[in-house]
Amino acid sequence: MQGPMDEQGLLKLSGSIEHVIYANEENGFAICDMGTDTDELITITGILPYVGEGDLVTVYGRWVHNPKYGRQFKVEQCEKQLPADRASILRYLSSGTIKGIGPKTAQRIVDEFGDETFDVIENHPEWLSSISGITPKRAHAISEDFKSKAGIRSAMLFFREYFGAAMTVRIYKKWGGSAVDVAKNNPYMLCEEIEGIGFERADRLALRLGLERDSEERLCSGVQYLLGANAGQNGHVCLPREKLTASAAKLLETTPERVEAAVSSLLKRQRLRTVTFDGVQYLYDVQLYENEKYIAKKLRLLDKVCPAMDTANIGSFIQKEESESGVQYAHLQRQAIFDALENGVMLLTGGPGTGKTTVVRALLHIFDSMGLNVTLSAPTGRAAKRLSESTSCEAKTIHRLLEYGGEEGGRVRFHRDEKNLLDENVIIVDEASMVDNNLMSALLRAVKPGARLVIIGDADQLPSVGAGNVLRDLLDSGAFATVRLTEIFRQAQKSLIVTNAHAINRGEMPRLDVKDNDFFFLPRTSDVEIAQTVAQLYKTRLPRTYGDLAVYGTQVISPSRKGETGTEHLNVLLQAALNPPSADKREHRYREQIFREGDRVMQIRNNYDMEWERADGSMGTGVFNGDIGVISRINPSAECLEIDFDDRHVVYEFNMLDELEMAYAVTVHKSQGSEYPIVILPLGSAAPMLHSRNLFYTAVTRAQTMVVLVGREEVARTMVENNRQSMRYTGLTYWLREGDL
């Protein structure tokens, strides 16, 4: 059966749903048998929200072959119509599609109201109470459920030209039956409230609906987008007013004067905030403004109200710890321990091999001996796991510490906050360079006054992916006790990974001529040669020498996504080399990517609602940007694949695969907070902004046992000499130094 095609080249089929094989109400995915006009029964799969037996549907999609179940029709768009004749109405209601109506009740309703049944249910539900067994309350519930099903039908019809079915389900879950009205009244609510819908997509819908290009509604939404989601993606918390005006005028294709009028309107309505730092006027999104000011205010409070300790007592605690541990602390380590005990807020920074972990272990023992309740935390699961291993104490992700509770109104919700403070007396946060403004604000809201906060991180690494530059701003403010560890300890001095990392950080070339240590350089001239050598190292050369350490512990980290030595091309090469097609391994093509059982994959955006399960049966939610796992199973019949992220088992529907990408090779930005036994770093062509010192330094410091550089020495030299760091507009340093809070 072929069927006609629509304008997008999709096949069009019409028929009635005969049997619902599987349906997921959360995301709308379903597998159904559909009868056609030619009496052929076909299996359709895809996003078919609230589908029920007896539904009349028109579906658009393509034929696919399922290895187990044969020929199926993969639906990309679906339109539903209500049945019109008595027999079809009865079958529809008898299927259980409408909550509160079973086969017997359906028969009574249709016998009573005939062809007018749907009109009665929707517009005169009180009439249903004349049917035996239907109370007025039940009649109302039946009507509401019927209307909700009608709402998703209208939403699918309205949004099908602009968004996929999965996104339409998300929109509908947000606003229910009023989703279409919300979009018509203010299309820009979509980009403000639904993650994954940017301004451009909402704008396209708005212009199609006839909204004027220079309407105040459009201009204000564009300005808010640049200050909110877009600014956050580039790390900015605020923007200079002049820069914002120019960017908005370009985005909105209008004049600076019209943008200024929109800015004035937003300021008047208190939708934006303005602050002047050093003679420059900056504009803020309201939430980013409130978060940044809160961080400064709460940190000042914690530092001020921390219970004082006698200096002599601090000294005795440190001496006792040295005696019991057998460790003689260096001067700066001793100072760090002293400052953490004496102050409410203490900052500890330093590069690899300088003894940060030794300080943490000492603090854990001392605070415990004082009877204080201490918790260790880090921004990512991998960082928390590494912290646990190095200290022999449990470390939690910040999300877990704050008891993540899903999203509400488009914002992350935590159970721990100002109304439900953390119990701990001491909170130690590691890898703080990765903590953005929003997460730091959420953490501080849950810290009780009087508790101590120890913030640890390497300020020379790349800053957080999200808005802000919290660790750097705190250090630059000079507002809190700070210790920068600089001494490389004897054991670490033997490692070229450590000594070369510090050399890079000082602007010096790393040693590339040593052949018998843990830092190797393989010179290659062309990008093609570099890529081929990387694949050979990963597949054969390293495993031949280092066995399982190389097989399971190697990570390719590249400065760039694009080009022969970028992650996109390297992942294609590495997948072919390490996990080629096999009769024993199922695979699934999603757009241009083939996912195969055994593939190494990465989650590329935060998904706070994703459910996971551990081997011990414990369950939770949340898979985060940068989490790496392995595809353990692909299930074509259920249209899903299963991934093991260390100790968490997660199921992904096929329509969610845009949240994943191959992870044999990852960018330096994506590697933040993680460490790997062996790191391969290709030094080939890339955009000049990616050949920077802090990016080089961050990549090298991801390695625990070995670094292998592959490529051109001049690229390494360029990166070392380029100390340019991308500008991030923030105001935290200002608030901490002199701002009136």
Side-chain angles (χ1 to χ4, degrees):
M1 181 180 198
Q2 183 66 22
M5 289 190 177
D6 71 351
E7 295 176 355
Q8 298 173 295
L10 300 176
L11 295 174
K12 176 183 176 182
L13 300 177
S14 297
S16 63
I17 300 300
E18 300 298 320
H19 178 54
V20 178
I21 301 169
Y22 170 83
N24 184 325
E25 287 200 10
E26 285 299 307
N27 58 28
F29 177 79
I31 304 172
C32 306
D33 285 333
M34 184 181 83
T36 66
D37 295 339
T38 60
D39 294 328
E40 181 183 4
L41 193 66
I42 64 173
T43 300
I44 63 174
T45 70
I47 304 297
L48 304 160
Y50 306 112
V51 72
E53 293 176 9
D55 271 342
L56 301 177
V57 298
T58 298
V59 293
Y60 302 82
R62 296 181 174 87
W63 289 106
V64 297
H65 182 78
N66 184 293
K68 186 174 181 180
Y69 297 101
R71 194 182 191 219
Q72 296 180 340
F73 192 78
K74 187 173 179 60
V75 177
E76 296 192 20
Q77 297 168 357
C78 175
E79 299 172 359
K80 292 204 296 183
Q81 303 86 35
L82 285 173
D85 61 88
R86 289 173 65 104
S88 297
I89 292 172
L90 176 60
R91 188 159 177 271
Y92 175 81
L93 292 179
S94 299
S95 69
T97 298
I98 306 300
K99 293 178 183 178
I101 300 181
K104 290 183 179 179
T105 303
Q107 185 68 62
R108 295 191 193 107
I109 294 174
V110 174
D111 286 345
E112 179 71 21
F113 301 111
D115 294 346
E116 305 300 318
T117 293
F118 289 148
D119 179 63
V120 169
I121 293 175
E122 183 171 8
N123 300 309
H124 307 286
E126 67 277 5
W127 295 0
L128 294 175
S129 58
S130 66
I131 304 294
S132 176
I134 300 182
T135 64
K137 182 177 180 180
R138 185 180 174 191
H140 177 75
I142 289 171
S143 180
E144 288 302 307
D145 194 56
F146 179 84
K147 290 176 182 177
S148 73
K149 302 299 191 293
I152 190 63
R153 279 195 298 275
S154 63
M156 295 297 286
L157 284 169
F158 179 78
F159 290 115
R160 68 176 289 253
E161 294 182 42
Y162 312 102
F163 311 114
M167 184 63 74
T168 299
V169 171
R170 293 180 65 186
I171 295 170
Y172 182 76
K173 287 179 70 175
K174 172 68 178 176
W175 288 297
S178 60
V180 173
D181 290 336
V182 168
K184 286 181 177 178
N185 292 334
N186 183 2
Y188 299 105
M189 287 287 288
L190 297 173
C191 64
E192 293 174 16
E193 299 289 343
I194 306 295
E195 186 177 353
I197 299 181
F199 174 81
E200 289 86 352
R201 296 178 76 184
D203 193 40
R204 190 160 54 246
L205 171 60
L207 295 176
R208 286 284 294 274
L209 290 174
L211 199 69
E212 294 294 329
R213 284 188 170 275
D214 282 339
S215 68
E216 182 177 321
E217 191 174 30
R218 178 175 184 265
L219 299 181
C220 286
S221 181
V223 167
Q224 287 189 284
Y225 165 73
L226 287 174
L227 279 175
N230 185 67
Q233 288 169 8
N234 293 298
H236 304 306
V237 179
C238 54
L239 288 173
R241 185 164 184 163
E242 185 176 330
K243 183 179 180 67
L244 171 71
T245 300
S247 298
K250 182 177 180 180
L251 172 71
L252 299 166
E253 298 177 338
T254 189
T255 64
E257 291 76 18
R258 290 187 181 276
V259 172
E260 276 296 332
V263 168
S264 298
S265 173
L266 289 166
L267 287 169
K268 186 175 181 180
R269 288 183 281 155
Q270 298 189 334
R271 300 286 296 274
L272 302 182
R273 295 288 190 272
T274 180
V275 182
T276 299
F277 307 144
D278 301 322
V280 178
Q281 187 181 24
Y282 291 85
L283 291 168
Y284 279 86
D285 168 81
V286 172
Q287 189 61 51
L288 290 172
Y289 171 85
E290 296 295 342
N291 284 349
E292 190 174 71
K293 287 193 69 174
Y294 185 87
I295 292 170
K297 183 177 181 180
K298 186 62 174 283
L299 286 173
R300 283 184 182 178
L301 175 66
L302 292 174
D303 204 40
K304 181 179 179 181
V305 303
C306 176
M309 286 188 64
D310 185 84
T311 302
N313 287 340
I314 296 177
S316 65
F317 274 120
I318 297 174
Q319 289 173 0
K320 181 181 178 183
E321 178 60 25
E322 283 183 322
S323 174
E324 292 180 354
S325 66
V327 176
Q328 187 70 34
Y329 301 120
H331 169 69
L332 286 176
Q333 287 180 315
R334 194 180 185 88
Q335 185 64 53
I337 298 168
F338 189 97
D339 286 351
L341 294 171
E342 187 179 41
N343 296 279
V345 177
M346 184 266 177
L347 311 176
L348 176 62
T349 186
T354 57
K356 296 192 297 294
T357 301
T358 300
V359 172
V360 174
R361 290 197 195 104
L363 290 174
L364 287 171
H365 295 156
I366 293 172
F367 283 130
D368 183 63
S369 70
M370 295 168 60
L372 298 178
N373 189 1
V374 185
T375 189
L376 295 173
S377 63
T380 67
R382 282 181 170 267
K385 183 178 180 181
R386 186 158 48 85
L387 184 58
S388 295
E389 293 169 347
S390 64
T391 61
S392 300
C393 291
E394 182 189 16
K396 301 177 181 179
T397 63
I398 296 176
H399 281 79
R400 184 179 167 207
L401 176 67
L402 298 180
E403 299 174 17
Y404 163 76
E407 291 189 12
E408 192 173 81
R411 302 189 186 282
V412 177
R413 180 169 55 89
F414 296 106
H415 292 299
R416 293 288 185 170
D417 54 21
E418 300 101 322
K419 297 178 182 178
N420 186 22
L421 297 170
L422 293 167
D423 299 321
E424 286 80 5
N425 308 107
V426 182
I427 294 95
I428 299 175
V429 181
D430 196 17
E431 292 288 356
S433 63
M434 298 179 65
V435 180
D436 63 21
N437 276 43
N438 289 337
L439 190 56
M440 179 59 77
S441 172
L443 173 63
L444 290 173
R445 291 176 194 278
V447 177
K448 64 184 180 183
R452 287 177 171 81
L453 181 64
V454 180
I455 300 174
I456 305 170
D458 187 344
D460 295 315
Q461 291 184 20
L462 294 170
S464 60
V465 174
N469 200 353
V470 176
L471 179 60
R472 171 56 61 190
D473 286 351
L474 296 182
L475 293 169
D476 289 347
S477 74
F480 308 105
T482 301
V483 174
R484 176 184 282 272
L485 300 177
T486 56
E487 180 183 352
I488 305 175
F489 289 92
R490 185 174 302 171
Q491 184 176 356
Q493 288 175 357
K494 300 176 183 178
S495 167
L496 266 182
I497 294 175
V498 173
T499 56
N500 275 344
H502 284 272
I504 292 168
N505 203 31
R506 293 192 301 268
E508 302 169 5
M509 274 292 287
R511 289 196 62 185
L512 304 179
D513 57 343
V514 180
K515 306 296 183 184
D516 60 352
N517 204 287
D518 56 7
F519 196 104
F520 301 92
F521 173 59
L522 301 181
R524 296 292 185 272
T525 302
S526 72
D527 287 353
V528 172
E529 286 182 294
I530 294 170
Q532 291 173 345
T533 302
V534 167
Q536 292 165 4
L537 283 167
Y538 205 147
K539 182 181 180 181
T540 57
R541 293 173 61 175
L542 289 172
R544 187 187 306 139
T545 305
Y546 300 100
D548 285 350
L549 180 70
V551 172
Y552 300 108
T554 299
Q555 182 63 60
V556 178
I557 300 178
S558 175
S560 175
R561 291 182 60 87
K562 303 297 183 181
E564 291 284 339
T565 60
T567 58
E568 291 180 358
H569 180 246
L570 288 173
N571 272 316
V572 173
L573 284 183
L574 292 169
Q575 184 190 40
L578 299 165
N579 192 31
S582 167
D584 299 329
K585 294 182 178 181
R586 285 168 291 195
E587 59 184 47
H588 174 71
R589 176 180 287 276
Y590 182 78
R591 296 175 181 166
E592 301 303 314
Q593 179 66 61
I594 293 176
F595 292 93
R596 187 173 296 127
E597 290 176 341
D599 273 335
R600 183 181 173 93
V601 293
M602 174 183 281
Q603 174 77 14
I604 59 172
R605 64 175 64 100
N606 289 336
N607 187 326
Y608 299 101
D609 298 320
M610 183 73 78
E611 296 179 354
W612 50 257
E613 183 176 1
R614 290 195 171 100
D616 62 6
S618 61
M619 302 180 69
T621 59
V623 182
F624 303 105
N625 188 2
D627 285 354
I628 292 178
V630 175
I631 299 175
S632 58
R633 181 173 181 243
I634 294 177
N635 189 339
S637 61
E639 296 217 348
C640 68
L641 55 79
E642 300 171 26
I643 300 176
D644 292 321
F645 291 98
D646 292 329
D647 60 343
R648 294 170 298 157
H649 186 76
V650 185
V651 177
Y652 284 75
E653 304 289 351
F654 283 170
N655 60 12
M656 301 174 65
L657 296 186
D658 58 350
E659 297 191 9
L660 295 171
E661 63 183 30
M662 289 296 130
Y664 298 104
V666 302
T667 63
V668 180
H669 286 84
K670 291 290 187 183
S671 73
Q672 285 178 268
S674 298
E675 281 190 354
Y676 313 94
I678 299 174
V679 166
I680 303 173
L681 177 62
L683 298 177
S685 302
M689 62 184 293
L690 296 174
H691 280 165
S692 66
R693 184 186 302 174
N694 70 336
L695 194 143
F696 195 6
Y697 173 77
T698 300
V700 168
T701 55
R702 299 307 89 209
Q704 297 168 314
T705 306
M706 182 189 305
V707 169
V708 185
L709 306 184
V710 183
R712 299 189 289 275
E713 184 173 343
E714 63 265 27
V715 172
R717 189 175 303 279
T718 297
M719 296 179 81
V720 168
E721 292 174 352
N722 178 15
N723 198 29
R724 176 184 174 275
Q725 299 184 24
S726 59
M727 166 67 72
R728 288 198 169 196
Y729 294 108
T730 69
L732 184 55
T733 299
Y734 168 82
W735 298 120
L736 288 169
R737 281 179 177 171
E738 53 192 283
D740 181 11
L741 298 171

